């Protein structure tokens, strides 16, 4: 048998989710080995849209500036009828809640390039390409053993790890290993995706167009300076040849063409809506398409996987560094699974509303959509961040209708703020630690709580953020919030309250015996150590 090497984390799959997870772990000093069956990154475009929350995750992975060099902000979504007349328009801002454009268009091979270049700069990360993972074994409380073969070799090799992250896609071996099965959310359609490059004039809005035509539902978007994507729903048994493709995209091309349209990729997909019934077995986890599949109608496929990586990486980092309890890892599935299911159901509903049905039902639906699009509150809601709050967990405490209304489980906004060295985005000030954001002077009990979990305290007054954070706290009826390292609100000090009334749910997970009441001295056994940025 080959020698067995030991590493803290093995990541199966070097797509954007797997590499982002490796980068986020590296920021906490956690080493990982990423095993990928391809020798190089996948060269053809796949995901093309990203929201501002995921742009913020790229910031945490230290690649947002490189991403900005080729990303293209999108103006929003237009709904068109079968004759391509606008029946609704939902604008997206270039300055979203998370500090980035609410929607960005990009080329996935370029995203993978910058992620891999960032990983190559991190000594904590190792990428092994041309590797087929053939087995994952986890018995009891010991390490997880990963068996793999390199290209051209019949001899197996082994790695032992404290944790394994299965980022290995819809056909995931990791999902089979942990005994997970799909929960079918009852959506399945065949579509063709066509990516082209052309210098010809193209009728184009700087956003996404959805053709609400039951006879031929379609999606169109501009990806880059000369890059465009069309998606067309296929009829039963239908196959598209080159002539038919030309006919389908002709309404967008302003002049006839003979050869100045390069088809980069034409592929057929079956869009499905599924969620794995379990996301974890011991220290083996599912992320991305291994855990959930969504139709693309709201552009959240890749986004969901990136949220998985962000949610899990900081928790796993603290547990592996022995600064948090093993039970902290239970909150990964508790928080992410309902969120992913809700986003998938939204995508299915949007797909049905925009493209599904025939006959009288389709006509009624189009009339409803057209009317709804004229209502200001509907247009405004569609322009907001689509990601719902995380459900209550051991790391998210909700206090009812009067305390911190609506803030728990949501991410704090990210304005630009003033520091000694100049203007920075808020997360560059927050770093990777727990943080108390307070609009009022911190009372002694609050300082004791912060010290007990290794949290910094930042006052919102004087940050030079044009009052964004103070207004956000006022809107949530809160004097202060406790932010997790992923900048999600973990607990709230309601306006006028004098303490965190109950810390019993999250204090044990953070290696504290108890946290103080306003009159008690601090007693802590193992303060949570926050990694430096």
């Amino acid at each position: 048998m080959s020698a067995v090497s030991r590493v803290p984390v093995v990541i199966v799959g070097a797509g954007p989710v797997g590499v982002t997870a490796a980068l986020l772990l590296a920021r906490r000093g956690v080493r990982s080995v990423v095993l990928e069956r391809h020798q190089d990154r996948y060269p053809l475009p796949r995901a093309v849209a990203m929201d501002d929350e995921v742009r913020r995750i790229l910031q945490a992975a230290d690649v947002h500036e490189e991403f900005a060099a080729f990303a293209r902000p999108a103006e929003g979504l237009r709904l068109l009828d079968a004759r391509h007349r606008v029946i609704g328009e939902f604008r997206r801002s270039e300055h979203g809640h998370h500090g980035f454009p609410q929607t960005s268009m990009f080329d996935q091979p370029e995203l993978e390039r910058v992620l891999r270049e960032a990983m190559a700069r991190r000594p904590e990360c190792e990428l092994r390409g041309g590797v087929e993972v053939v087995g994952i074994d986890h018995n009891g409380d010991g390490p997880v053993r990963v068996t793999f073969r390199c290209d051209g070799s019949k001899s197996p090799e082994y790695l032992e790890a404290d944790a394994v992250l299965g980022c290995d896609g819809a056909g995931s071996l990791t999902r089979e290993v942990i005994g997970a099965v799909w929960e079918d959310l009852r959506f399945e359609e065949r579509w063709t995706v066509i990516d082209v490059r052309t210098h010809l004039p193209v009728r184009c809005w700087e956003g996404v167009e959805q053709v609400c035509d039951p006879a031929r539902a379609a999606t169109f978007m501009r990806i880059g300076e000369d890059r465009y994507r069309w998606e067309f729903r296929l009829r039963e048994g239908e196959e598209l040849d080159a002539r038919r493709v030309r006919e389908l995209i002709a309404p967008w091309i302003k002049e006839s063409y003979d050869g100045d349209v390069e088809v980069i990729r034409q592929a057929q997909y079956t869009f499905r809506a599924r969620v794995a019934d379990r996301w974890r077995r011991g220290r083996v986890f599912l992320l991305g398409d291994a855990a959930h599949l969504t139709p693309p109608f709201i552009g959240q496929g890749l986004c969901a996987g990136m949220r998985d990586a962000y949610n899990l990486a900081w928790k796993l980092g603290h547990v592996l560094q022995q600064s948090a309890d093993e039970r902290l890892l239970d909150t990964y599935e508790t928080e992410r699974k309902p969120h992913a299911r809700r986003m998938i159901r939204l995508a299915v509903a949007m797909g049905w509303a925009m493209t599904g049905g025939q006959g009288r039902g389709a006509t009624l639906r189009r009339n409803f959509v057209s009317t709804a699009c004229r209502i200001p509150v509907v247009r405004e809601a569609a322009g907001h961040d689509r990601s719902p709050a995380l459900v209550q967990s051991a790391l998210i405490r909700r206090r009812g209708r009067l305390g911190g209304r609506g803030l728990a489980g949501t991410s704090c906004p990210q304005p630009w703020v003033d520091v000694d060295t100049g203007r920075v985005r808020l997360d560059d000030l927050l770093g990777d630690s727990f943080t108390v954001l307070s609009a009022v002077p911190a009372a002694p009990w609050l300082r004791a709580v912060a010290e007990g979990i290794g949290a910094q305290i930042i006052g919102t007054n004087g940050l030079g953020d044009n009052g964004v954070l103070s207004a956000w706290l006022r809107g949530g009826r809160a004097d202060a919030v406790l932010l997790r390292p992923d900048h999600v609100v973990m607990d709230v000090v309601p306006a006028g309250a004098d303490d965190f009334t109950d810390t019993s749910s999250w204090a044990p997970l953070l290696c504290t015996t108890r946290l103080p009441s306003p009159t008690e001295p601090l007693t802590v056994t193992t303060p949570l150590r926050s990694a430096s940025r």
Side-chain angles (χ1 to χ4, degrees):
M1 178 182 292
S2 302
V4 180
S5 300
R6 180 74 178 264
V7 294
V9 179
V10 168
I11 299 173
V12 184
V17 174
V19 176
T20 299
L23 291 172
L24 294 171
L25 289 168
R27 282 182 50 134
R28 298 186 169 277
V30 177
R31 293 188 303 112
S32 64
V33 173
V34 183
L35 303 178
E36 168 58 42
R37 62 190 182 95
H38 297 292
Q39 285 285 1
D40 200 359
R41 59 191 169 95
Y42 190 73
L44 298 179
R46 288 174 290 178
V48 293
M50 178 183 297
D51 62 26
D52 55 326
E53 183 179 353
V54 178
R55 286 285 298 265
R56 192 172 184 177
I57 295 172
L58 293 183
Q59 179 187 354
D62 291 326
V63 296
H64 67 291
E65 292 182 358
E66 293 91 339
F67 179 80
F70 58 83
R72 190 182 195 92
E75 293 189 7
L77 170 69
R78 274 183 176 172
L79 307 182
L80 310 180
D81 65 13
R83 297 170 60 184
H84 290 204
R85 297 173 300 186
V86 177
I87 60 176
E89 182 173 297
F90 303 101
R91 290 277 177 172
R92 303 290 280 170
S93 170
E94 287 199 32
H95 306 284
H97 178 85
H98 298 278
F100 296 99
Q102 284 185 296
T103 302
S104 298
M105 312 305 295
F106 66 95
D107 186 27
Q108 182 169 332
E110 283 294 287
L111 171 62
E112 294 195 21
R113 175 184 61 81
V114 300
L115 287 170
R116 290 194 178 202
E117 288 175 353
M119 187 166 59
R121 296 191 295 266
R122 300 297 306 232
E124 303 92 345
C125 300
E126 178 184 353
L127 172 63
R128 299 187 188 180
V131 168
E132 180 187 7
V133 175
V134 295
I136 302 171
D137 300 302
H138 186 25
N139 298 315
D141 297 328
V144 186
R145 174 169 290 196
V146 179
T147 306
F148 61 94
R149 293 190 181 96
C150 297
D151 278 351
S153 174
K154 295 182 180 180
S155 300
E157 299 183 42
Y158 307 92
L159 283 172
E160 286 189 346
D162 296 313
V164 171
L165 310 188
C167 306
D168 45 347
S172 169
L173 169 68
T174 314
R175 188 176 60 251
E176 295 179 10
V177 165
I178 70 170
V181 296
W182 286 124
E183 174 192 350
D184 192 346
L185 300 184
R186 299 184 180 182
F187 181 92
E188 186 170 314
E189 290 185 350
R190 288 177 62 243
W191 285 63
T192 188
V193 178
I194 304 164
D195 288 282
V196 309
R197 178 178 286 112
T198 182
H199 295 289
L200 291 175
V202 177
R203 177 185 62 77
C204 182
W205 181 57
E206 294 297 332
V208 177
E209 293 181 342
Q210 179 66 57
V211 181
C212 303
D213 179 8
R216 179 67 76 184
T219 305
F220 168 69
M221 63 203 79
R222 183 177 185 178
I223 308 302
E225 195 63 32
D226 59 353
R227 281 277 322 285
Y228 304 88
R229 168 172 289 188
W230 284 268
E231 300 172 356
F232 297 99
R233 188 171 59 185
L234 296 173
R235 302 184 181 101
E236 183 70 26
E238 182 180 24
E239 303 291 338
L240 302 180
D241 58 17
R243 179 189 62 81
R244 186 61 179 134
V245 168
R246 287 163 60 97
E247 293 174 354
L248 288 174
I249 69 176
W252 283 272
I253 306 292
K254 293 185 178 180
E255 59 188 58
S256 62
Y257 63 92
D258 293 319
D260 194 17
V261 175
E262 175 192 358
V263 177
I264 302 172
R265 180 191 69 147
Q266 180 182 348
Q268 292 185 15
Y269 287 92
T270 300
F271 295 154
R272 295 184 171 94
R274 294 179 175 177
V275 178
D277 66 339
R278 61 185 303 174
W279 291 26
R280 176 193 180 195
R281 180 183 176 189
R283 288 282 189 87
V284 181
F285 301 87
L286 301 181
L287 296 82
D289 286 354
H292 41 73
L293 299 174
T294 181
F297 301 116
I298 58 173
Q300 288 291 308
L302 174 65
C303 295
M306 300 290 271
R307 290 188 182 99
D308 296 342
Y310 198 35
N311 186 287
L312 179 58
W314 74 267
K315 299 172 182 177
L316 183 59
H318 281 306
V319 170
L320 293 181
Q321 293 168 342
Q322 298 182 339
S323 56
D325 189 275
E326 182 80 13
R327 290 172 296 169
L328 183 67
L329 300 177
D330 295 336
T331 65
Y332 167 61
E333 182 175 342
T334 299
E335 294 175 358
R336 285 295 307 136
K337 186 176 178 181
H339 188 281
R341 181 185 284 109
R342 184 172 175 182
M343 297 300 285
I344 293 169
R345 291 196 185 280
L346 177 59
V348 169
M350 290 291 288
W352 177 87
M354 294 188 295
T355 69
Q358 300 285 342
R360 183 171 180 272
T363 301
L364 291 174
R365 185 189 61 256
R366 288 195 298 275
N367 291 337
F368 170 77
V369 170
S370 180
T371 301
C373 289
R374 299 188 186 100
I375 302 173
V377 69
V378 174
R379 291 200 305 269
E380 182 181 2
H384 286 174
D385 179 22
R386 289 190 288 255
S387 181
L390 297 179
V391 299
Q392 181 165 318
S393 74
L395 280 180
I396 296 172
R397 174 170 169 74
R398 292 205 166 92
R399 296 176 173 273
R401 290 178 293 178
L402 298 179
R405 185 178 60 182
L407 295 187
T410 69
S411 297
C412 72
Q414 183 179 208
W416 289 86
V417 298
D418 291 327
V419 297
D420 293 341
T421 56
R423 299 275 288 174
V424 300
R425 299 181 191 272
L426 175 66
D427 290 0
D428 294 323
L429 175 62
L430 300 182
D432 294 326
S433 67
F434 287 81
T435 302
V436 174
L437 279 181
S438 181
V440 297
W445 68 267
L446 183 56
R447 294 187 180 277
V449 169
E451 182 182 346
I453 60 171
Q456 59 182 329
I457 297 180
I458 296 178
T460 59
N461 295 326
L463 281 179
D465 65 339
N466 294 321
V468 170
L469 293 171
S470 294
W472 173 69
L473 289 172
R474 286 196 304 273
R477 297 183 180 179
D479 283 342
V481 293
L482 175 60
L483 300 179
R484 311 180 332 180
D486 57 358
H487 311 133
V488 169
V489 176
M490 178 172 160
D491 208 340
V492 177
V493 180
D498 59 357
D499 69 343
F500 289 113
T501 57
D502 181 7
T503 62
S504 60
S505 61
W506 47 264
L509 303 185
L510 305 181
C511 295
T512 61
T513 54
R514 61 192 178 92
L515 292 172
S517 73
T519 59
E520 289 180 328
L522 178 67
T523 303
V524 177
T525 56
T526 310
L528 185 64
R529 301 181 298 276
S530 59
S532 63
R533 189 176 182 84

